[in-house]
Amino acid sequence: MKKVLSLALAASLSAAALSGCSGNNANAPEGGASTNAPTNGNSSTGKVVKLTGLITKHPLTQELAKMEWLQQAEERAGVDIQWQEISADWDQKKGALLAGGDVPDLIIGPNAITDADFAQFPGLFQDMSELVASDGPNVQAMFNDKPETKVISSQTDGKIYGLPKYQRFWPATASRQFINQKWLDDLGLAMPTNWDELYDVLLAFKEKDANGDGDANDEIPMDFAPVGTGGFGFFHPTVLLGSEGITLTNGSGQGYFLEDGQVKNFFVDERYKNLVAFLNKCFAAGLISKEVFTQDYTKFQSVARGTGDKAKVGFTWGWEVTDRFGNTLAPQYASMAPLASSANSTAQVSWDYDYDTLNYGVNMVTMSAKTKDKAAAMRFINELYDPKVSMQVLFGSLGTNIKDNGDGSYAVQPPTDAAMDPGTWKWTTTWADNGPMYIADSLKLTLGTDMQSVGKQTEPLMPTIDAIDKENDVLPSMFIKYSAADNSMMSLNNTNLMNLAMAKFSQWVTKGGIDKEWDGYVKNATKTGLPQNLEIMQKYYEDYKAKK
């Protein structure tokens, strides 16, 4: 699945069932450069090298000690890693960790350590450029095959503090919007095409016992993923900004987007104000989950899976239908086309364009500058980038999650628990999208049913996505690197902006008041340094375009 999928991502991308399987990896291939890795750690002493590691993982993901592919990768690299596993509140924990200056040998997770962190804490992280050349042939192969991955990795001075990923199979967007088609049919309602029609449908879901269980008060007409304090991510209602012509890029978590070649921020855009007012209208009418700002991601997922064959949620966003609603309820739901804001709107409807974030990843693994045996740490990193290991990072162990067909090809297996959907199984059993990897284009791998169905569920969105002006309306943020000074300045300004904007979002949705407070809010937002950030980003964007 998806990146976490962003912040959210990341933290937000997948499922909600709760069992894990540790794979039997006895037949795991040791192809590529990994076959040459020492099996006894330091080859001169015969000792296994002990390292420390930290991973930001999905809340559903099982303990790393149960991942057989990981144990084998450590053994081949000759290392023994003591892992710290973080599933929540990473932003808060990271601040204290970096300020203390004593970071683990390895930190793994999508942009867990950002370019801004490198700028703010110089000297904490190792430049891996020479290590890649000496001890990272799989990483170097990725750079050779996909030169853009080296661009993503390299700072403006050519140093490499964080390595990326490439996973190849993912679609152009992370978020699909789903509606309960059975409820529509049972109540004689048409598929909504704009916000006004959506409101009327949600009201009917609330008032007319849409799930037919005799209780007219147990339906949740609308639900969306938990919203953090650091910005938005996937499966959030900000995708509805596309109804007003705003093209989000990779979730646009901190509000930045590109329109006609101009970098803008939706947090001070009137169209954002319109969306928040609509959400408040829905919340005031009881159409949005009362727990939308207090539930965690696991609760968000589990609620959508209802009870037996009785659904609870009418309209929501997610990655894939079985991932969002489970195998039993999935057939009740339909994937929707983007909505217009109103019947008479003339805006060119858009959507969230996420291809880069879904198939690539920035700063997936970093190394501490204080790591005593940097060669050993890089040997382990190199293991993760062996394409055959990478597919296990993404989908789980060979033998349980992945079948070796014996002819150089592989196939993702269905869950061993028939009641579990494939997306949940992946996130439960392995690092999934949160891990460093290189899924080479030459790797022959048949995807599971969830990934096959993602394409089908994306079809209603594709006319809109295909119409997006990729040159002038998609912000190529992943490929733009800023100087250390500009990174530091922008990071500080963004922190100030998010502290203001995210608190106001929850307040305005639940209590209203955006019309009265908007002008003062915009003035305060400009004081956070937002105009300075827009100016910096515009310059770097234009430089990027000129060099492209």
Side-chain angles (χ1 to χ4, degrees):
M1 197 190 76
K2 43 306 170 196
K3 289 40 277 30
V4 179
L5 354 254
S6 130
L7 309 167
L9 206 306
S12 290
L13 294 160
S14 202
L18 317 180
S19 67
C21 305
S22 62
N24 175 2
N25 214 10
N27 297 319
E30 297 183 7
S34 64
T35 56
N36 299 320
T39 59
N40 60 347
N42 189 321
S43 57
S44 63
T45 65
K47 295 181 179 180
V48 172
V49 176
K50 292 187 178 296
L51 301 172
T52 57
L54 181 151
I55 183 170
T56 61
K57 67 177 192 178
H58 194 283
L60 297 180
T61 303
Q62 67 180 356
E63 296 88 351
L64 269 57
K66 297 180 180 179
M67 298 179 187
E68 192 168 349
W69 71 262
L70 176 58
Q71 309 311 313
Q72 293 183 354
E74 291 186 25
E75 290 171 7
R76 287 194 299 269
V79 301
D80 179 18
I81 303 177
Q82 180 181 353
W83 290 100
Q84 181 182 1
E85 304 174 28
I86 305 293
S87 297
D89 302 322
W90 168 238
D91 285 340
Q92 290 81 2
K93 295 171 182 175
K94 178 173 71 170
L97 181 71
L98 298 184
D102 188 17
V103 300
D105 293 317
L106 300 170
I107 296 180
I108 288 175
N111 213 22
I113 303 298
T114 67
D115 287 351
D117 295 328
F118 299 143
Q120 187 176 357
F121 299 95
L124 276 189
F125 296 96
Q126 176 67 31
D127 171 19
M128 292 183 279
S129 52
E130 293 185 3
L131 288 168
V132 167
S134 61
D135 293 284
N138 292 327
V139 179
Q140 188 61 55
M142 176 180 66
F143 286 169
N144 293 341
D145 295 344
K146 296 290 179 181
E148 63 272 25
T149 60
K150 188 170 185 180
V151 173
I152 293 170
S153 304
S154 302
Q155 301 297 314
T156 55
D157 60 3
K159 293 182 178 179
I160 297 175
Y161 298 114
L163 291 172
K165 71 172 177 178
Y166 172 67
Q167 61 189 76
R168 161 185 167 200
F169 293 116
W170 266 238
T173 185
S175 296
R176 273 141 288 278
Q177 60 184 8
F178 298 106
I179 196 164
N180 193 304
Q181 183 68 56
K182 183 177 186 300
W183 289 9
L184 289 176
D185 294 342
D186 289 348
L187 298 178
L189 301 170
M191 178 73 73
T193 62
N194 57 58
W195 294 0
D196 296 327
E197 293 177 359
L198 176 63
Y199 179 87
D200 291 340
V201 164
L202 297 179
L203 194 62
F205 285 173
K206 177 179 183 292
E207 295 178 345
K208 297 183 178 181
D209 187 23
N211 64 11
D213 65 353
D215 183 354
N217 298 310
D218 66 346
E219 288 83 4
I220 300 173
M222 180 197 295
D223 200 7
F224 52 82
V227 176
T229 58
F232 290 104
F234 298 137
F235 319 141
H236 289 152
T238 42
V239 293
L240 292 177
L241 288 169
S243 304
E244 301 182 283
I246 292 177
T247 301
L248 305 184
T249 306
N250 307 326
S252 293
Q254 295 179 317
Y256 297 100
F257 68 99
L258 191 69
E259 188 168 50
D260 298 328
Q262 189 72 31
V263 181
K264 300 180 179 181
N265 191 290
F266 65 65
F267 281 112
V268 292
D269 194 296
E270 288 280 340
R271 292 169 288 185
Y272 172 73
K273 174 187 173 186
N274 295 339
L275 172 60
V276 174
F278 171 70
L279 294 174
N280 172 247
K281 176 183 176 182
C282 292
F283 193 89
L287 307 184
I288 298 177
S289 170
K290 295 178 181 178
E291 299 181 349
V292 73
F293 289 107
T294 58
Q295 66 186 352
D296 62 15
Y297 191 79
T298 301
K299 179 67 177 296
F300 164 70
Q301 284 289 83
S302 63
V303 167
R305 296 177 178 227
T307 304
D309 62 354
K310 295 299 181 183
K312 296 291 185 183
V313 175
F315 171 80
T316 188
W317 295 273
W319 167 250
E320 187 270 337
V321 68
T322 61
D323 171 80
R324 185 72 182 95
F325 305 104
N327 293 336
T328 300
L329 292 180
Q332 294 188 20
Y333 288 85
S335 179
M336 298 173 62
L339 300 167
S341 58
S342 66
N344 58 2
S345 172
T346 59
Q348 175 65 50
V349 175
S350 192
W351 193 251
D352 183 18
Y353 186 79
D354 308 318
Y355 181 84
D356 292 342
T357 284
L358 294 183
N359 288 282
Y360 298 88
V362 62
N363 299 328
M364 300 300 297
V365 55
T366 59
M367 183 189 302
S368 170
K370 296 180 180 180
T371 298
K372 293 181 179 180
D373 195 331
K374 295 180 174 62
M378 179 53 70
R379 285 200 304 271
F380 171 73
I381 291 173
N382 187 65
E383 281 290 327
L384 301 177
Y385 286 91
D386 180 292
K388 296 173 186 177
V389 176
S390 289
M391 70 178 177
Q392 297 176 81
V393 172
L394 183 56
F395 292 113
S397 294
L398 275 155
T400 51
N401 295 55
I402 301 173
K403 178 184 178 183
D404 184 344
N405 294 324
D407 59 0
S409 67
Y410 305 87
V412 176
Q413 297 275 68
T416 54
D417 179 355
M420 185 180 289
D421 64 275
T424 297
W425 195 41
K426 178 186 75 170
W427 282 97
T428 302
T429 56
T430 191
W431 294 356
D433 305 64
N434 284 2
M437 69 189 80
Y438 173 47
I439 307 293
D441 289 343
S442 59
L443 184 70
K444 298 177 181 179
L445 177 64
T446 301
L447 299 179
T449 56
D450 61 325
M451 287 302 300
Q452 294 177 30
S453 70
V454 160
K456 184 70 175 178
Q457 294 158 33
T458 308
E459 288 178 3
L461 303 171
M462 287 312 299
T464 297
I465 292 174
D466 288 341
I468 292 173
D469 184 344
K470 311 297 191 299
E471 290 297 314
N472 298 300
D473 290 337
V474 172
L475 186 63
S477 54
M478 183 174 291
F479 299 96
I480 298 176
K481 294 291 183 178
Y482 300 91
S483 70
D486 286 336
N487 254 321
S488 293
M489 179 65 69
M490 292 171 62
S491 177
L492 177 61
N493 293 342
N494 283 332
T495 297
N496 293 334
L497 176 62
M498 292 303 99
N499 288 341
L500 169 69
M502 297 311 295
K504 283 296 182 183
F505 174 74
S506 59
Q507 174 191 321
W508 285 335
V509 170
T510 58
K511 299 179 181 178
I514 191 170
D515 287 329
K516 180 180 179 181
E517 298 180 17
W518 179 256
D519 291 342
Y521 158 81
V522 171
K523 290 180 181 179
N524 287 333
T526 62
K527 295 177 183 177
T528 66
L530 176 58
Q532 184 179 28
N533 278 14
L534 292 172
E535 182 179 348
I536 292 171
M537 294 178 70
Q538 187 69 38
K539 176 184 181 301
Y540 279 82
Y541 167 71
E542 291 176 359
D543 289 346
Y544 166 82
K545 290 283 287 185
K547 295 174 183 177
K548 191 176 178 182

